[in-house]
């Protein structure tokens, strides 16, 4: 057989093999369910076109207080991977039957560093009803080093499930780690400029953020869309007498009347969105970068 015909034959075989591989991957996309948006974002970046990532919690519900219905449980049972935040985030987990081999506890690697919350206040907001923050603090990803460890756990699970994707997943992990490291170093730089600066938080969800970046933070239990009762304002005034904060961190922009009353006390409102659910615009990285900018403004305030 002439040389050019042999070469053409080999190239044809390679093309066919490549097409088969792409088709096989396309026809068998990994089905991934994530219990919150940060994990969904990590999976989307790492798995790219080779996976369909689902976040079953409705857009108007905090995934930490969501409970899966039968349909959602059925979808999880059919998934290839079920990404869990851990740190007692999925309180529904003990009440549903899921294949253990599909569960990925992304915070297991730093379980010994979980923060325990004692004597938490029972309160309610949104359709999830009453709850308290007692137990284990679960917004683990607001420590960006911990977020990187959770992303790594997702990558390991993906590679274990699809070894042929190892190179692509590790390349994605490298850039994701770089983005998270950038956030981490920037927050460290900002907070180091004014160590011990008193801050308030509208909700007790910033425990890991405060620990990682040495924030001098005290929390109330206020909701962005609700005017706190008078006794809450009285309590805030007592706290400010010994903790003279000039900024209150919020999960979302507070109602104008609340922001105005805080401003009258010399307190500015700054949004630091945990981004537990999928944002209306942008993505996890964009939200976190805006959070960092808002924190920077708070530390520059006199």
């Amino acid at each position: 057989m002439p040389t050019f015909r042999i070469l053409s034959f080999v190239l044809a075989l390679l093309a066919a093999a490549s097409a088969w591989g792409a088709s096989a991957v396309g026809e068998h996309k990994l089905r991934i369910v994530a219990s919150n948006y940060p994990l969904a974002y990590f999976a989307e970046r790492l798995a790219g076109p080779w996976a369909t990532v689902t976040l079953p919690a409705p857009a108007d519900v905090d995934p930490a207080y969501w409970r899966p219905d039968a349909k959602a449980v059925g979808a999880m049972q059919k998934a290839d991977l079920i990404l869990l935040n851990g740190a007692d985030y999925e309180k529904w987990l003990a009440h549903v039957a899921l294949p253990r081999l599909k569960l990925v506890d992304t915070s297991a690697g730093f379980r010994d560093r979980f923060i325990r919350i004692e004597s938490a206040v029972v309160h309610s907001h949104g359709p999830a009803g009453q709850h308290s923050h007692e137990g284990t603090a679960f917004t683990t990803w607001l420590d960006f080093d911990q977020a990187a460890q959770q992303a790594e756990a997702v990558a390991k699970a993906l590679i274990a499930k699809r070894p042929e994707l190892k190179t692509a997943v590790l390349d994605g992990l490298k850039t994701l780690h770089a983005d998270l490291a950038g956030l981490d170093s920037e927050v460290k730089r900002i907070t180091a400029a004014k160590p011990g600066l008193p801050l308030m938080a509208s909700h007790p969800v910033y425990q890991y953020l405060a620990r990682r970046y040495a924030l001098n933070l005290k929390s109330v239990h206020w909701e962005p869309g609700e005017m706190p009762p008078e006794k809450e304002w009285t309590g805030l005034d007592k706290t400010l007498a010994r903790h003279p904060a000039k900024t209150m961190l919020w999960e979302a922009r507070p109602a104008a009347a609340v922001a105005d009353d805080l401003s009258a006390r010399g307190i500015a409102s700054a949004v630091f969105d945990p981004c537990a659910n999928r944002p209306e615009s942008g993505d996890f990285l964009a939200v976190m970068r805006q959070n960092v900018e808002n924190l920077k403004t708070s530390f520059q305030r006199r």
Side-chain angles (χ1 to χ4, degrees), residues 177-196:
H177 271 179
D179 287 336
L180 294 170
L183 293 169
D184 187 63
S185 61
E186 179 64 4
V187 177
K188 283 182 176 177
R189 188 189 68 76
I190 291 168
T191 57
K194 291 184 178 178

Side-chain angles (χ1 to χ4, degrees), residues 209-254:
L209 179 78
R211 182 178 70 182
R212 175 70 177 175
Y213 307 106
L215 300 183
N216 182 14
L217 190 67
K218 292 187 180 297
S219 298
V220 290
H221 290 74
W222 294 6
E223 299 303 326
E226 301 174 6
M227 174 59 76
E230 190 56 38
K231 67 177 183 179
E232 289 289 332
W233 289 103
T234 301
L236 175 64
D237 290 337
K238 289 179 180 178
T239 299
L240 292 175
R242 59 183 187 281
H243 184 76
K246 299 295 183 185
T247 298
M248 179 177 283
L249 302 182
W250 290 85
E251 296 168 272
R253 187 181 301 279

Side-chain angles (χ1 to χ4, degrees), residues 146-230:
Q146 291 182 169
Q149 293 180 58
Q150 292 185 266
E152 188 168 348
V154 174
K156 287 180 178 178
L158 289 170
I159 293 170
K161 186 63 71 174
R162 288 287 174 82
E164 69 272 23
L165 300 179
K166 180 177 180 179
T167 300
V169 171
L170 291 181
D171 285 347
L173 182 63
K174 184 177 180 180
T175 58
L176 178 55
H177 271 179
D179 287 336
L180 294 170
L183 293 169
D184 187 63
S185 61
E186 179 64 4
V187 177
K188 283 182 176 177
R189 188 189 68 76
I190 291 168
T191 57
K194 291 184 178 178
L197 180 72
L199 296 169
M200 291 297 303
S202 65
H203 223 69
V205 294
Y206 301 109
Q207 297 91 347
Y208 295 104
L209 179 78
R211 182 178 70 182
R212 175 70 177 175
Y213 307 106
L215 300 183
N216 182 14
L217 190 67
K218 292 187 180 297
S219 298
V220 290
H221 290 74
W222 294 6
E223 299 303 326
E226 301 174 6
M227 174 59 76
E230 190 56 38

Side-chain angles (χ1 to χ4, degrees), residues 79-97:
D80 295 298
L81 292 172
I82 305 165
L83 304 180
L84 306 174
N85 189 75
D88 204 22
Y89 191 86
E90 297 84 7
K91 294 179 175 58
W92 45 265
L93 189 59
H95 307 289
V96 299

Side-chain angles (χ1 to χ4, degrees), residues 52-107:
T52 300
V53 182
T54 303
L55 173 57
D60 61 344
V61 173
D62 185 340
Y65 302 104
W66 170 74
R67 299 288 183 273
D69 57 17
K71 183 179 178 181
V73 172
M76 285 191 276
Q77 290 171 335
K78 294 176 183 175
D80 295 298
L81 292 172
I82 305 165
L83 304 180
L84 306 174
N85 189 75
D88 204 22
Y89 191 86
E90 297 84 7
K91 294 179 175 58
W92 45 265
L93 189 59
H95 307 289
V96 299
L98 295 174
R100 306 297 297 176
L101 292 178
K102 295 182 178 180
L103 301 178
V104 183
D105 183 348
T106 60
S107 63

